[in-house]
């Protein structure tokens, strides 16, 4: 009988944690997944203003909603909170990093050819598809038109999506984009799903289960092989068992957590032979920082912990079109891209995408327009450069989106608040100036595409006036490298100097990759967990 409660404890259930849980369970290990958020279903997705939309890291026992929005001084970071992690709120895009991304900042042995088998494995598990030609959206056609008029027609392409499409679906068949048009099916993992109805709710929970979130594939397979998933379990500390004198063989781990139940935080702990930290760039880095700098349980972690953080160049520029219907809430949130990652524009690596917004946003605005005398909200939209249509208030907006290779020079650390000096909180030291040229190049490209297609851009004043940004793709903080002097984990995710402790998520990427990172995160986890299984 094992002296540990579990063979492996996985902290988090996003693109790293789900892969790790799946493969370790398939290998016959006793696996426990501790997930801070809820297990969401189509029946419990937030929809109304008063629903559980937000996660509050300070009061998770009271506020454990759909998304965690961390607000640092000049950067906001959005992350999913629930079983499935970031797959709950991302825009379904699953692309491979470009071969040229894998430079000297990566550990030896990690390049595109080395990751290709794992990229393919991830693609198969997620059931990737392209938007069918008979279902092209107005946004897709606008994007294609802009690319061709700017001389980038050959750089425009569809992107692989973790979405299940019905090849016979007609978006305009009455009632248009209604849930009743979704066709039920059983996926390759034996899980019931439905097909896409172009409702636009990708980022707030797909009610017809056409979005291939991790709970419908990797995590479902993990559970079928005996893995246990415990939602609403927030891990607060890791503690090595034994005296830690032998740095080559592990002696197991104790994982301390708070169970969030009934408005209370109930302390608990469990042991495992190995621990995989997969709480995301922010969550994993904060956990290890607290273990090193606050609890003192991991004093020998790399001095590089928290450094090399990137926002992956995320930026969105809304554009408004007079007399042209764009309807960004129709269709999957993103379906295409213009690849400028080779630096063809001002030597900046850019990846432009056709952004979308949930259909719920239009519903919300439409209802509020009815309630406001004098159309005050309508006047607000007019001030943003467009004229809101009461029937479809977002119909003429195109959210030009994109990612880029930023400077990756941010640093996460624990600091003190002037009004509560006894408490240490996670802070981010990030200066916009090193990435200013990159962001401005993105803005310029968005403006070019808007002008070429007859629209009016509205560059957010949060950037033009305050140099503030928001990212759903944070990377780094526990960067992988060849040595403890260069990074926190090795090329397989094992923490330097701490056997059987791993990090497998976006925190390990040692640089921005300039496009959607989920597939790279999952591929690295596939590679890392394969080594664990081989050595077990």
């Amino acid at each position: 009988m094992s002296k540990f409660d579990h063979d492996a404890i996985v902290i988090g259930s996003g693109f790293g944690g789900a892969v790790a849980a799946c493969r370790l369970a398939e290998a016959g290990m006793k696996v426990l997944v501790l997930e801070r958020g809820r297990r969401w279903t189509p029946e419990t997705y937030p929809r109304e203003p008063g629903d559980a939309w937000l996660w509050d890291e300070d009061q998770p026992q009271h506020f454990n909603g759909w998304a965690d929005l961390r607000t640092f001084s000049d950067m906001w970071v959005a992350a999913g909170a629930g079983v499935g992690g970031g797959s709950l709120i991302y825009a379904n895009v699953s692309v491979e990093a470009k071969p040229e991304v894998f430079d000297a900042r990566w550990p030896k042995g990690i390049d595109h050819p080395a990751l290709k088998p794992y990229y393919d494995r991830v693609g198969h598990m997620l059931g990737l598809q392209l938007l069918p030609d008979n279902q092209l959206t107005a946004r897709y056609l606008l994007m294609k038109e802009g690319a061709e008029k700017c001389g980038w027609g050959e750089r425009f392409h569809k992107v692989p999506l973790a979405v299940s499409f019905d090849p016979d679906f007609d978006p305009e068949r009455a009632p248009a984009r209604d849930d009743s048009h979704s066709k039920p099916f059983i996926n390759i993992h034996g899980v019931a799903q439905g097909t896409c109805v172009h409702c636009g709710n990708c980022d707030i929970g797909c009610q017809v289960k056409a979005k291939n979130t991790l709970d419908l594939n990797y995590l479902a397979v993990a559970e079928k092989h005996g893995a246990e998933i415990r939602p609403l379990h927030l891990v607060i500390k890791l503690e090595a068992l034994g005296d830690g004198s032998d740095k080559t063989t592990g002696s197991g781990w104790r994982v301390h957590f708070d169970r969030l139940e009934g408005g209370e935080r109930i302390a608990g702990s469990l042991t495992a032979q190995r621990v995989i930290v997969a709480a995301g760039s922010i969550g994993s880095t904060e956990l290890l920082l607290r273990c090193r700098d606050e609890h003192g349980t991991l004093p020998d972690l790399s001095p590089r912990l928290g450094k090399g953080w990137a926002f992956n160049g995320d930026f969105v520029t809304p554009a408004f079109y007079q007399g042209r219907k764009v309807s960004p809430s129709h269709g999957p949130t993103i379906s295409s891209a213009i690849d400028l990652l080779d630096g063809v524009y001002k030597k900046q690596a850019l990846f432009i995408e056709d952004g979308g917004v949930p259909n719920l946003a239009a519903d919300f605005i439409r209802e509020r327009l009815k309630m406001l005398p004098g159309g005050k909200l309508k006047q607000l939209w007019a001030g943003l450069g467009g004229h809101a249509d009461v029937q479809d208030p977002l119909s003429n907006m195109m959210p030009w989106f994109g990612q880029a290779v930023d400077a990756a020079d941010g640093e996460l650390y624990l600091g003190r608040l002037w009004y509560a000096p006894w408490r240490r909180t996670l802070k981010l030291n990030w200066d916009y100036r090193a990435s200013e040229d990159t962001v401005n190049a993105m803005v310029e490209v968005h403006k070019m595409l808007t002008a070429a297609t007859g629209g009016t851009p509205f560059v957010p004043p949060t950037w033009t006036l305050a140099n503030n940004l928001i990212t759903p793709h944070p990377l780094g903080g526990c960067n992988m490298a060849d040595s403890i002097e260069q990074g926190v984990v090795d090329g397989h995710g094992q923490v330097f100097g701490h056997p059987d402790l791993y990090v497998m998520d976006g925190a390990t990427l040692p640089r921005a990759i300039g496009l959607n990172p989920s597939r790279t995160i999952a591929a690295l986890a596939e590679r890392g967990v394969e080594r664990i299984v081989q050595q077990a």
Side-chain angles (χ1 to χ4, degrees):
M1 179 176 291
S2 173
K3 61 180 180 179
F4 305 110
D5 297 316
H6 299 273
D7 296 320
I9 291 179
V10 180
I11 302 168
S13 59
F15 286 98
V19 170
C22 176
R23 301 311 182 197
L24 293 176
E26 284 182 321
M29 295 187 190
K30 184 181 180 182
V31 177
L32 173 66
V33 180
L34 297 176
E35 165 58 51
R36 65 174 180 165
R38 310 180 188 189
R39 188 189 286 266
W40 298 93
T41 67
E43 294 73 32
T44 60
Y45 292 148
R47 286 295 185 264
E48 299 299 325
D51 286 348
W53 285 103
L54 294 178
W55 169 278
D56 186 339
E57 189 67 15
D58 293 329
Q59 303 180 76
Q61 70 274 29
H62 299 301
F63 303 99
N64 40 66
W66 181 255
D68 180 2
L69 187 60
R70 297 291 187 100
T71 56
F72 301 106
S73 57
D74 294 311
M75 179 73 67
W76 288 21
V77 181
V83 176
S87 76
L88 298 175
I89 69 166
Y90 86 139
N92 316 305
V93 179
S94 188
V95 288
E96 301 177 13
K98 306 287 283 187
E100 54 268 26
V101 160
F102 299 96
D103 55 18
R105 283 170 282 189
W106 294 80
K108 294 180 177 63
I110 295 186
D111 53 21
H112 189 272
L115 282 186
K116 182 58 177 171
Y118 306 106
Y119 275 133
D120 293 343
R121 191 177 299 173
V122 173
H124 172 73
M125 288 291 293
L126 296 182
L128 302 183
Q129 297 183 30
L130 300 177
L131 180 67
D133 286 340
N134 65 334
Q135 299 173 37
L136 303 180
T137 66
R139 279 182 293 120
Y140 177 95
L141 297 174
L142 178 61
M143 181 94 155
K144 184 174 186 291
E145 176 188 335
E148 291 172 347
K149 288 183 175 179
C150 290
W152 298 323
E154 293 183 355
R155 295 170 176 270
F156 173 82
H157 59 80
K158 296 178 182 179
V159 290
L161 302 175
V163 176
S164 297
F165 292 104
D166 171 12
D168 299 321
F169 175 72
D170 178 1
E172 301 306 320
R173 185 172 68 236
R177 296 169 298 281
D178 191 78
D179 292 356
S180 62
H181 298 313
S182 180
K183 290 184 179 179
F185 71 99
I186 303 297
N187 70 20
I188 62 173
H189 311 294
V191 180
Q193 290 192 238
T195 55
C196 179
V197 294
H198 286 228
C199 69
N201 289 336
C202 303
D203 294 343
I204 59 171
C206 176
Q207 68 274 4
V208 297
K209 300 175 75 172
K211 179 175 180 174
N212 305 336
T213 47
L214 294 168
D215 55 316
L216 303 176
N217 37 75
Y218 275 106
L219 292 172
V221 173
E223 290 187 295
K224 286 184 178 180
H225 285 84
E228 179 186 359
I229 300 176
R230 296 188 190 179
L232 294 173
H233 279 64
L234 177 63
V235 174
I236 57 175
K237 183 172 66 174
L238 305 177
E239 180 183 7
L241 300 175
D243 61 10
S245 58
D246 191 340
K247 296 297 185 181
T248 60
T249 60
S251 55
W253 295 89
R254 180 170 293 279
V255 178
H256 298 263
F257 54 82
D258 283 345
R259 179 162 52 90
L260 310 177
E261 184 176 312
E264 297 182 357
R265 299 177 66 152
I266 304 169
S269 71
L270 290 166
T271 61
Q273 180 178 342
R274 58 187 64 83
V275 169
I276 293 88
V277 182
S281 172
I282 301 298
S284 293
T285 305
E286 180 176 8
L287 177 60
L288 294 189
L289 281 169
R290 291 195 183 280
C291 289
R292 187 189 68 182
D293 301 339
E294 185 176 42
H295 305 305
T297 56
L298 296 175
D300 299 328
L301 292 175
S302 169
R304 295 293 304 171
L305 178 62
K307 295 179 171 61
W309 185 87
F311 70 98
N312 208 38
D314 285 305
F315 198 85
V316 60
T317 303
F320 295 89
Y321 290 81
Q322 191 71 27
R324 179 169 184 169
K325 191 170 184 178
V326 181
S327 297
S329 60
H330 295 174
T333 300
I334 293 174
S335 62
S336 62
I338 302 171
D339 187 345
L340 307 178
L341 286 168
D342 61 356
V344 65
Y345 185 78
K346 293 191 173 181
K347 298 182 179 180
Q348 296 293 337
L350 310 173
F351 195 71
I352 314 300
E353 294 174 311
D354 60 323
V357 297
N359 189 48
L360 185 67
D363 293 340
F364 181 83
I365 293 168
R366 185 160 48 247
E367 290 303 312
R368 293 316 181 266
L369 280 169
K370 294 177 183 177
M371 298 167 59
L372 290 175
K376 293 181 180 179
L377 191 55
K378 184 174 181 177
Q379 293 173 16
L380 173 62
W381 278 91
L384 292 175
H387 298 279
D389 182 335
V390 175
Q391 296 304 312
D392 193 352
L394 299 179
S395 65
N396 65 337
M397 184 183 78
M398 171 65 167
W400 295 104
F401 182 54
Q403 293 158 79
V405 176
D406 65 88
D409 60 346
E411 179 181 0
L412 292 163
Y413 66 99
L414 296 181
R416 301 189 186 277
L417 301 170
W418 65 267
Y419 56 85
W422 60 88
R423 179 180 162 206
R424 307 188 77 173
T425 188
L426 186 69
K427 294 189 174 184
L428 172 64
N429 181 14
W430 177 79
D431 191 322
Y432 74 91
R433 286 172 291 188
S435 299
E436 185 174 17
D437 289 345
T438 301
V439 175
N440 285 336
M442 177 77 72
V443 172
E444 291 169 13
V445 169
H446 285 169
K447 285 182 174 180
M448 290 170 61
L449 291 165
T450 301
T453 51
T456 302
F458 178 78
V459 182
T462 48
W463 171 251
T464 57
L465 300 180
N467 298 119
N468 295 160
L469 295 173
I470 182 170
T471 178
H473 299 124
L475 300 175
C478 302
N479 296 11
M480 57 173 51
D482 286 319
S483 70
I484 193 171
E485 291 77 24
Q486 299 170 307
V488 180
V489 303
D490 66 18
H492 291 90
Q494 180 165 290
V495 177
F496 288 117
H498 295 82
D500 289 332
L501 177 61
Y502 298 83
V503 180
M504 293 186 184
D505 56 31
T508 69
L509 272 66
R511 54 161 290 175
I513 62 175
L515 44 64
N516 310 70
S518 62
R519 195 166 177 181
T520 297
I521 293 167
L524 288 168
E526 286 274 16
R527 180 178 183 270
V529 78
E530 182 179 76
R531 176 115 177 250
I532 294 176
V533 171
Q534 291 171 347
Q535 294 180 342

